[in-house]
Amino acid sequence: MKTIKDFNFKDKKALVRVDFNVPLDADFNVTDTTRLKAAKPTIIKILEDGGSAVLMSHLGRPKGVEDKFSLRHIVKTTSEILGVEVKFAGATVGADAEAAVAALEPGQVLLLENVRFFAEETKGDEEFAAQLAKLGDVYVNDAFGTAHRAHASTTIVAKHFEDKFAGFVIEAELVNADRVLKGGDKPVTAIMGGAKVSDKILIIEKLLDVADTIIIGGGMSYTFAKAEGGTIGNSLCQDDLLDYVLELEQKAKDKGVELVFPIDNLLGDDFSNDANTQVVLRGQIPDGWEGFDIGPQTIEKFSKIITESKTVIWNGPMGVSEIPLYATGTIEVAKAVKAATENGAFSLIGGGDSAAAINNLGFGDDVSYVSTGGGALLEYMEGKTLPGIAALEA
Ligand code: AMP
């Protein structure tokens, strides 16, 4: 894979796919600038070479043109973070966008309007991609979070360019994922959580080859508990996977990988912050109750394993971490990952809710790497080809 390090952008207009899909509050202030900051090194490298950058991104899931999803809302914050005035094109493709690009001087940055204002974007439309391709001399993809999608701006557009490169974000994502996949320092511990077993099957199968221990928490753990004969009340369960999870347990045993499950669970009688709660041992959940978090004994056990690890990968919360009442397990795991890192471990946080937990606690700089793309990271680690990356090599 060619990266932007291999190229001098002097006098080039670089069409750069960034991931500026940032959260906005009701007044359209950016509430988490992680992705803007992540894109900065790539953009600055282009400018410092003497080139200019034409940035394209999606924001949210608009249905056609919807002002609340306009990228104009982020222009000011992006300018502040880059330390360079960002011009806003007000158009994604067409004559206005082309005129704005034509007027761009070396050292300048232009932001195009939301690529998803066009349904053609997610369809990977050839004609739309050809129009985008008119807006640069070279193509850079640095949007790791959408690299697993064959959209017009992430993949299809690349075929129009001779010179096409991965930016620093994509490079860092792959280097950090490979560090785990190629076998990190031992003991290697994977922490899996989140709602569904089905979303994590392929990654767990892959991790069986590199991990010493796989911790299983979150909503997905109740399918295992039920398969082992426990009662789980109203907890999340994928009944169609009951046989499969037992096979997985056997497979882990055969490979000498320890699957570690919760000892106890925090139950609630409602999916809300003022529910009644109780703690019971795993697999002993009464009717009318639902497992929403790991319990205190589990926290202690998981934390010990994590802090004694030398490589840690974490994907998925230990409970319903968006509700404070059920966030303790996820917070304590985040603390353990931080502690492991302080003890010299390499720690990779796999996007989504686990990244949110780390960032909300202010631990972003206390772990080795926080992925900017949950789904894309999982697919890469599962061994799938990411179309946005393959397109740079074609
Ligand atoms: P995922 O996207 O698969 O990583 O899952 C994240 C979602 O799983 C979050 O929205 C959590 O609220 C949810 N989740 C985690 N644990 C539980 C649980 N015990 N019961 C219900 N939902 C859960």
Side-chain angles (χ1 to χ4, degrees):
M1 185 182 66
K2 279 193 289 180
T3 77
I4 56 170
K5 272 195 213 124
D6 307 320
F7 193 74
N8 189 319
F9 288 84
K10 185 164 170 43
D11 295 328
K12 299 288 186 195
K13 290 177 176 164
L15 179 64
V16 189
R17 179 50 159 102
V18 286
D19 181 0
F20 282 178
N21 183 30
V22 291
L24 301 176
D25 66 15
D27 298 320
F28 300 108
N29 298 306
V30 179
T31 54
D32 183 346
T33 56
T34 309
R35 288 174 168 167
L36 304 179
K37 288 182 185 147
K40 182 173 177 175
T42 290
I43 297 165
I44 296 299
K45 143 84 179 158
I46 294 166
L47 303 185
E48 285 184 347
D49 276 359
S52 55
V54 180
L55 309 180
M56 56 180 173
S57 178
H58 74 286
L59 177 65
R61 296 184 171 185
K63 296 188 173 59
V65 177
E66 285 187 73
D67 185 66
K68 65 176 172 177
F69 294 116
S70 172
L71 281 166
R72 77 183 165 81
H73 301 304
I74 72 159
V75 169
K76 189 167 160 278
T77 309
T78 310
S79 300
E80 284 163 10
I81 286 172
L82 295 181
V84 177
E85 183 210 347
V86 173
K87 300 172 187 298
F88 185 59
T92 311
V93 290
D96 288 350
E98 287 168 30
V101 171
L104 208 59
E105 306 273 347
Q108 293 185 333
V109 179
L110 176 73
L111 177 62
L112 300 172
E113 182 56 286
N114 195 337
V115 285
R116 288 202 192 161
F117 280 179
F118 292 80
E120 289 87 344
E121 162 65 5
T122 51
K123 290 186 188 140
D125 183 79
E126 295 282 347
E127 177 51 30
F128 181 61
Q131 288 189 54
L132 287 172
K134 290 185 191 170
L135 305 174
D137 312 315
V138 300
Y139 174 67
V140 174
N141 188 358
D142 212 20
F144 182 73
T146 47
H148 59 319
R149 307 278 181 227
H151 294 169
S153 70
T154 64
T155 302
I156 313 300
V157 69
K159 69 171 70 159
H160 295 277
F161 294 90
E162 193 77 15
D163 294 316
K164 43 194 163 186
F165 309 95
F168 291 127
V169 173
I170 286 190
E171 185 186 25
E173 292 278 352
L174 301 190
V175 164
N176 285 296
D178 286 346
R179 192 159 165 182
V180 174
L181 284 175
K182 295 193 173 136
D185 291 345
K186 287 178 162 296
V188 177
T189 298
I191 311 157
M192 293 285 123
K196 289 184 171 174
V197 183
S198 53
D199 289 346
K200 308 285 159 83
I201 285 175
L202 293 172
I203 179 85
I204 293 176
E205 295 260 1
K206 203 80 189 172
L207 289 167
L208 287 178
D209 291 329
V210 293
D212 300 295
T213 305
I214 302 179
I215 288 175
I216 298 196
M220 64 185 281
S221 69
Y222 303 100
T223 301
F224 290 85
K226 184 170 175 183
E228 290 171 32
T231 58
I232 59 165
N234 304 337
S235 308
L236 284 185
C237 185
Q238 288 183 283
D239 285 317
D240 54 329
L241 294 177
L242 291 172
D243 290 337
Y244 169 77
V245 296
L246 292 179
E247 283 167 30
L248 191 65
E249 290 188 20
Q250 188 56 48
K251 228 186 252 183
K253 224 175 247 158
D254 294 344
K255 293 197 170 192
V257 178
E258 196 185 0
L259 291 192
V260 179
F261 296 101
I263 300 171
D264 52 358
N265 288 109
L266 176 72
L267 315 183
D269 61 357
D270 191 28
F271 193 88
S272 76
N273 207 38
D274 41 32
N276 297 303
T277 61
Q278 61 169 318
V279 173
V280 302
L281 291 178
R282 173 177 190 248
Q284 299 185 16
I285 303 181
D287 285 345
W289 292 82
E290 191 169 346
F292 285 128
D293 197 4
I294 52 175
Q297 291 186 61
T298 307
I299 289 174
E300 206 181 313
K301 178 177 173 185
F302 286 5
S303 298
K304 183 166 187 299
I305 296 169
I306 295 163
T307 45
E308 289 173 355
S309 302
K310 283 287 166 260
T311 303
V312 178
I313 169 162
W314 179 23
N315 186 288
M318 295 293 102
V320 183
S321 55
E322 55 270 47
I323 297 179
L325 186 64
Y326 306 129
T328 312
T330 302
I331 291 170
E332 293 303 319
V333 162
K335 288 184 188 164
V337 175
K338 175 178 187 267
T341 317
E342 283 162 0
N343 290 343
F346 171 76
S347 54
L348 171 61
I349 313 302
D353 294 282
S354 358
I358 289 283
N359 288 331
N360 291 341
L361 289 164
F363 293 172
D365 293 331
D366 302 317
V367 294
S368 307
Y369 191 73
V370 183
S371 174
T372 58
L377 182 74
L378 281 184
E379 290 199 17
Y380 180 72
M381 295 193 75
E382 287 163 5
K384 291 190 186 137
T385 301
L386 305 187
I389 289 167
L392 299 173
E393 283 152 5

